[in-house]
């Protein structure tokens, strides 16, 4: 049994999206049993990007008791139903990775098996016609449907989100200290972090430190040297330029990822503006050329100066080391392509809540935490590599390089299994479900050579009724949805609790 002790002193270093998500969640769930302090430096500021999310963010907000309309108003958020990938398989080709499911699975086989069998029986409707979220996105429609039938995430202003969470964290008992961390002081005996020393010599002592200092990784790497696994041989893009512009048209409920000859560009529509950026590999494109390309393709007025970002892809070898946990960019970065970074913050924070030490940190907790985080990261890594590796593009040195690179065995197995049999399996609560893998693998150009024989058990009339019933249901549902932009305005104005 734990003996009554003074509350665990938790110190969060950094106040970007990671810092304030961590502080808000800890304050909300563990407020009375911890003493929570967050240190951030206004002079250093935050990375200022990270606006596209994935559906589990709904869960995070609900866990914190956040009213969705209030959150959307505060962060100028729009709904997101997926990502449009343009020029990835080949120049001029497009496909959509939508949230939710496509068609209807049988317990023994995913819907793709029935669809492929249908193709041989003269049912030529594209796979996309069976995906509700995809069709809603294409027509820019959205509404909350009963039983959460339309699965969605958000596109939001990350600075406003951090500010919104800050209010909640402070209301929940977190203390915010403004100042620059000048030194991380270690305990001479244990080697753990003892305190953060700020400019002016103010010391902040703690028992558990959460490193949310972004790419600087001041605590986990700067002080504790947890190590870094470089993944740039799989993720060669190492630079980005971001810029915000005024909106020139109503916001659509999806993010665009538009490939170019040395990387890709994003467009993320919010209520009050649009987020734009270019991701590129500096080996193949100079900063000047990247900026020129970005500026030539953006719409609307530039609202800020371009934000130039350099990074190295990879992960911190130990996400939790001694009495310090890396959350956010300090723990690693793979790239923004599938909007997974904020989700990884969420996963880490919820794990910290579950594994909060009762006094001294347990090595078993550390090992468990690191294994779980690492599994998440490896699975996401594989999914990201898929977008580059499986392509028909050979039109530039960048695409020739990524198409020919060696890939992890885990991904090679997944690709070949799908190519041979049409099957995909989700293991260890993997973030990306079967539908995601199928949409991206087919979108990038893999067509399975066979499919599950259960599909052929449907008699021709049954197959026709099954497929047309699904298509009609999707089309009818989408036709009944209101315009996304108008819905967001109404919903935020009404502030109905959800
Ligand atoms: P930061 O925002 O950099 O915050 C670091 C904090 O530490 C700041 O408050 C800073 O002031 C503080 N700090 C640093 N040093 C000191 C010091 N010495 N003393 C005191 N304070 C200090 N993720 C998504 O999920 N979706 C996306 O669409 C997406 N797009 C991205 C695009 C790009 C180009 C990049 C690079 C990342 C993107 N990400 C995205 C990732 C996302 O931006 C981050 O995961 C998220 O913003 C969290 O960042 P952070 O809080 O870890 O770091």
């Amino acid at each position: 049994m734990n003996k009554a002790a003074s509350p665990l002193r938790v110190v969060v270093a950094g106040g970007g999206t990671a810092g304030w998500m961590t502080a808000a969640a800890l304050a909300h769930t563990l407020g009375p049993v911890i003493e929570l302090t967050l240190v951030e430096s206004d002079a250093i500021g935050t990375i200022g990007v990270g606006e596209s999310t994935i559906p589990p963010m709904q869960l995070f907000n609900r866990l914190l008791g956040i009213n969705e309309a209030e959150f959307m108003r505060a962060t100028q958020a729009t709904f997101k139903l997926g990502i449009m990938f343009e020029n990835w398989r080949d120049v001029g080709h497009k496909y959509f990775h939508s949230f939710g499911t496509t068609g209807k699975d049988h317990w023994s086989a995913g819907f793709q098996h029935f669809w492929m069998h249908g193709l041989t029986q003269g049912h030529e409707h594209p796979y996309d016609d069976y995906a509700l979220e995809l069709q809603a996105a294409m027509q820019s429609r959205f509404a909350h449907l009963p039983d959460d039938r339309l699965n969605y995430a958000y596109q939001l202003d990350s600075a406003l989100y951090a500010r919104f969470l800050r209010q909640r964290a402070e209301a929940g008992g977190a203390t915010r200290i403004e100042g620059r961390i000048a030194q991380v002081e270690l305990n001479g005996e244990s080697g753990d972090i003892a305190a953060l020393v700020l400019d002016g010599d103010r010391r902040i002592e703690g028992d558990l430190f959460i490193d949310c200092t972004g790419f600087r990784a001041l605590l986990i790497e700067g002080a504790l040297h947890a190590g870094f696994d470089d993944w740039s041989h799989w993720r060669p893009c190492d630079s980005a330029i971001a810029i915000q512009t005024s909106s020139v048209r109503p916001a659509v409920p999806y993010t665009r990822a538009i490939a170019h000859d040395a990387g890709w560009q994003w467009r993320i529509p919010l209520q009050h503006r649009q987020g734009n950026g270019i991701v590129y590999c500096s080996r193949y494109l100079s900063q000047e050329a990247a900026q020129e390309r970005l500026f030539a393709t953006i719409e609307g007025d530039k609202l800020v100066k371009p934000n130039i970002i350099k990074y190295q892809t990879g992960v911190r070898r130990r996400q939790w080391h001694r009495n310090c946990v890396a959350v956010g960019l300090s723990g690693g970065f793979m790239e923004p392509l599938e909007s997974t970074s904020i989700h990884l913050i969420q996963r880490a924070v919820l794990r910290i809540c579950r594994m909060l030490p009762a006094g001294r940190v347990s090595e078993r907790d550390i090992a468990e935490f690191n294994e779980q985080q690492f599994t998440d990261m490896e699975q996401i890594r594989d999914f990201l590599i898929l977008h580059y590796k499986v392509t028909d593009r050979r039109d530039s040195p960048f695409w020739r390089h990524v198409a020919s690179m060696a890939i992890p065995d885990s991904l090679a197995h997944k690709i070949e299994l799908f190519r041979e049999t049409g099957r995909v399996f989700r293991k260890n609560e993997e973030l990306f479900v079967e539908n995601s893998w199928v949409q991206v693998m087919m979108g990038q150009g893999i067509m399975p050579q066979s499919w599950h024989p259960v599909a052929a058990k449907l008699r021709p009339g049954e197959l026709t009724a099954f497929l047309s019933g699904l298509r009609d249901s999707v089309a009818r549902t989408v036709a009944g949805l209101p315009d996304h932009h108008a819905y967001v305005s109404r919903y935020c104005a009404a502030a109905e609790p959800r």
Side-chain angles (χ1 to χ4, degrees):
M1 208 199 314
N2 298 334
K3 66 178 177 357
S6 45
L8 191 85
R9 295 165 304 170
V10 180
V11 179
V12 179
T17 307
W20 285 114
M21 279 179 77
T22 305
L26 290 176
H28 183 77
T29 51
L30 299 163
V33 296
I34 59 172
E35 192 182 292
L36 183 59
T37 308
L38 182 144
V39 186
E40 68 175 324
S41 161
D42 290 339
I44 293 175
T46 64
I47 190 154
V49 282
E51 305 191 324
S52 193
T53 69
I54 51 177
M57 187 181 230
Q58 282 186 56
L59 178 71
F60 184 78
N61 284 349
R62 277 185 211 158
L63 283 176
L64 266 63
I66 289 172
N67 171 300
E68 189 183 58
E70 186 190 341
F71 150 77
M72 291 191 67
R73 239 193 345 260
T75 61
Q76 292 291 313
T78 54
F79 294 103
K80 174 182 169 191
L81 295 168
I83 303 176
M84 171 75 91
F85 287 93
E86 302 171 38
N87 302 337
W88 284 83
R89 176 173 169 184
D90 217 338
V91 177
H93 179 268
K94 279 183 190 179
Y95 71 94
F96 200 90
H97 170 199
S98 62
F99 304 138
T101 53
T102 302
K104 196 168 180 214
D105 296 338
H106 180 260
W107 69 266
S108 62
F111 175 70
Q112 70 273 16
H113 298 272
F114 295 88
W115 174 75
M116 284 184 287
H117 176 63
L119 289 181
T120 65
Q121 307 298 306
H123 299 283
E124 286 172 355
H125 291 267
Y127 193 67
D128 290 1
D129 286 4
Y130 301 88
L132 179 61
E133 285 78 1
L134 187 156
Q135 292 301 327
M138 289 303 85
Q139 295 182 39
S140 200
R141 292 171 185 259
F142 184 87
H144 290 95
L145 291 181
D147 303 325
D148 291 329
R149 231 187 111 205
L150 204 56
N151 196 12
Y152 64 88
Y154 311 100
Q155 305 173 121
L156 52 80
D157 182 321
S158 59
L160 296 179
Y161 187 46
R163 197 181 301 164
F164 178 73
L165 291 177
R166 175 181 161 187
Q167 286 165 358
R168 303 186 74 88
E170 288 184 315
T175 304
R176 172 186 183 264
I177 296 175
E178 208 291 315
R180 192 185 75 92
I181 302 160
Q183 194 201 329
V184 180
E185 189 184 295
L186 299 186
N187 179 314
E189 273 173 35
S190 66
D192 287 354
I193 298 178
L196 305 181
V197 185
L198 309 190
D199 279 345
D201 285 346
R202 179 168 182 187
R203 282 178 85 252
I204 319 243
E205 291 183 1
D207 303 306
L208 183 69
F209 290 82
I210 318 289
D211 187 342
C212 299
T213 61
F215 285 134
R216 290 177 183 81
L218 280 184
L219 284 63
I220 195 83
E221 195 61 54
L224 296 181
H225 312 293
F228 188 75
D229 277 345
D230 181 350
W231 283 354
S232 55
H233 50 296
W234 289 314
R235 319 258 7 91
C237 290
D238 57 3
S239 310
I241 306 175
I243 186 128
Q244 301 165 4
T245 53
S246 57
S247 308
V248 294
R249 60 175 59 90
V252 292
Y254 60 90
T255 294
R256 288 175 67 190
I258 309 156
H260 59 81
D261 62 21
W264 60 281
Q265 287 180 235
W266 76 78
R267 288 208 191 155
I268 306 176
L270 312 184
Q271 288 180 43
H272 61 320
R273 63 164 172 80
Q274 175 147 281
N276 314 271
I278 183 163
V279 172
Y280 62 100
C281 178
S282 62
R283 211 182 328 153
Y284 301 113
L285 194 68
S286 69
Q287 186 177 310
E288 296 69 34
Q291 181 161 313
E292 207 173 292
R293 186 171 298 183
L294 176 65
F295 283 8
T297 49
I298 51 177
E299 302 166 308
D301 299 328
K302 300 186 195 80
L303 303 177
V304 288
K305 288 210 178 90
N307 178 4
I308 292 160
I309 300 163
K310 297 278 171 200
Y311 58 84
Q312 183 184 9
T313 50
V315 291
R316 198 67 52 205
R317 208 164 286 144
R318 280 164 292 184
Q319 301 280 309
W320 184 341
H321 185 39
R322 298 187 176 278
N323 63 339
C324 176
V325 191
V327 177
L329 296 172
S330 64
F333 183 56
M334 285 179 263
E335 83 148 81
L337 188 58
E338 284 280 0
S339 324
T340 46
S341 294
I342 294 176
H343 176 74
L344 282 169
I345 296 173
Q346 168 177 341
R347 291 270 253 232
V349 174
L350 299 183
R351 280 186 183 127
I352 294 171
C353 290
R354 287 199 200 106
M355 295 186 195
L356 191 83
R360 247 195 93 69
V361 171
S362 147
E363 286 301 324
R364 287 196 194 282
D365 269 346
I366 294 180
E368 183 63 37
F369 182 94
N370 286 338
E371 193 193 319
Q372 289 186 16
Q373 284 287 111
F374 211 72
T375 303
D376 281 352
M377 289 170 158
E378 280 184 334
Q379 289 170 336
I380 292 171
R381 174 202 68 192
D382 282 5
F383 190 58
L384 292 174
I385 296 172
L386 171 71
H387 297 68
Y388 291 90
K389 173 71 185 176
V390 180
T391 176
D392 295 339
R393 286 193 72 154
R394 300 288 186 276
D395 54 298
S396 66
F398 172 80
W399 286 103
R400 285 194 288 277
H401 168 72
V402 292
S404 63
M405 71 185 163
I407 57 172
D409 291 346
S410 45
L411 175 60
H413 168 74
K414 215 154 188 159
I415 291 174
E416 290 316 316
L417 182 66
F418 183 71
R419 200 191 302 278
E420 283 172 22
T421 67
R423 292 190 237 282
V424 183
F425 293 99
R426 182 177 179 225
K427 295 182 206 156
N428 298 325
E429 296 177 48
E430 179 174 358
L431 172 62
F432 290 105
V433 295
E434 190 174 352
N435 185 53
S436 295
W437 281 93
V438 171
Q439 282 188 331
V440 175
M441 289 208 263
M442 293 206 301
Q444 293 287 146
I446 307 176
M447 199 58 187
Q449 291 152 357
S450 69
W451 49 91
H452 199 296
V454 74
K457 282 188 75 177
L458 286 180
R459 284 194 287 270
E462 288 172 337
L463 182 68
T464 304
F466 174 61
L467 293 176
S468 63
L470 288 169
R471 281 196 313 274
D472 290 351
S473 160
V474 167
R476 246 193 339 270
T477 308
V478 172
L481 294 173
D483 171 71
H484 166 254
H485 193 79
Y487 185 83
V488 170
S489 309
R490 270 202 313 276
Y491 185 59
C492 289
E496 291 153 14
R498 254 185 81 82

